[in-house]
Amino acid sequence: MSDQQEQKDRQEEYIARLDKNLAEKDNTISDLKARLEKEREEYQAQLDKEREEYIAQSKKRREKHQAELKLWREDYAEKFAALVCVVAVCGELASKDGQQ
């Protein structure tokens, strides 16, 4: 019986080691899952931050371009008005020359 008891003890010891190894692997898997989830959340937060920065920069560029376009339109309107005046004056001068 001693051999059978010894074999049974070795099997129980082997099973206990397997259980311990399995528990350690489960803990390792859980740790890896937790770390992966944390890294995913950090990455998502970084992406969100970069997206918000990009949106803010785009808004600033759009506002800058709108301001430049407004100035260009005002300048163009002034030049067009001046051109209309020049054409009107030239037309009046031409009609006076034609009457004389």
Side-chain angles (χ1 to χ4, degrees):
M1 252 242 215
S2 161
D3 284 341
Q4 287 180 343
Q5 186 63 34
E6 225 177 279
Q7 186 177 6
K8 186 177 180 182
D9 289 344
R10 282 188 298 204
Q11 286 176 345
E12 287 176 2
E13 183 181 316
Y14 180 71
I15 290 171
R17 281 192 315 231
L18 287 176
D19 286 343
K20 181 182 174 190
N21 287 342
L22 182 60
E24 288 174 358
K25 295 218 184 291
D26 284 344
N27 287 341
T28 302
I29 291 172
S30 297
D31 291 345
L32 289 173
K33 284 182 180 178
R35 192 172 80 200
L36 181 62
E37 181 63 24
K38 181 181 176 187
E39 288 177 3
R40 188 195 67 74
E41 289 172 358
E42 289 172 354
Y43 181 70
Q44 186 63 47
Q46 180 66 27
L47 286 178
D48 291 344
K49 180 182 174 186
E50 288 175 5
R51 187 184 83 233
E52 289 179 18
E53 288 173 356
Y54 178 79
I55 290 170
Q57 289 174 355
S58 294
K59 185 177 179 182
K60 287 179 183 177
R61 281 194 306 270
R62 185 174 47 249
E63 289 172 353
K64 179 184 173 192
H65 291 146
Q66 289 293 332
E68 290 173 353
L69 183 60
K70 182 180 177 186
L71 290 175
W72 182 84
R73 285 179 180 161
E74 290 172 355
D75 185 49
Y76 180 77
E78 289 174 10
K79 288 179 181 178
F80 185 75
L83 181 61
V84 167
C85 290
V86 168
V87 169
V89 168
C90 288
E92 286 181 29
L93 290 175
S95 68
K96 285 183 183 177
D97 282 345
Q99 288 176 355
Q100 289 178 358

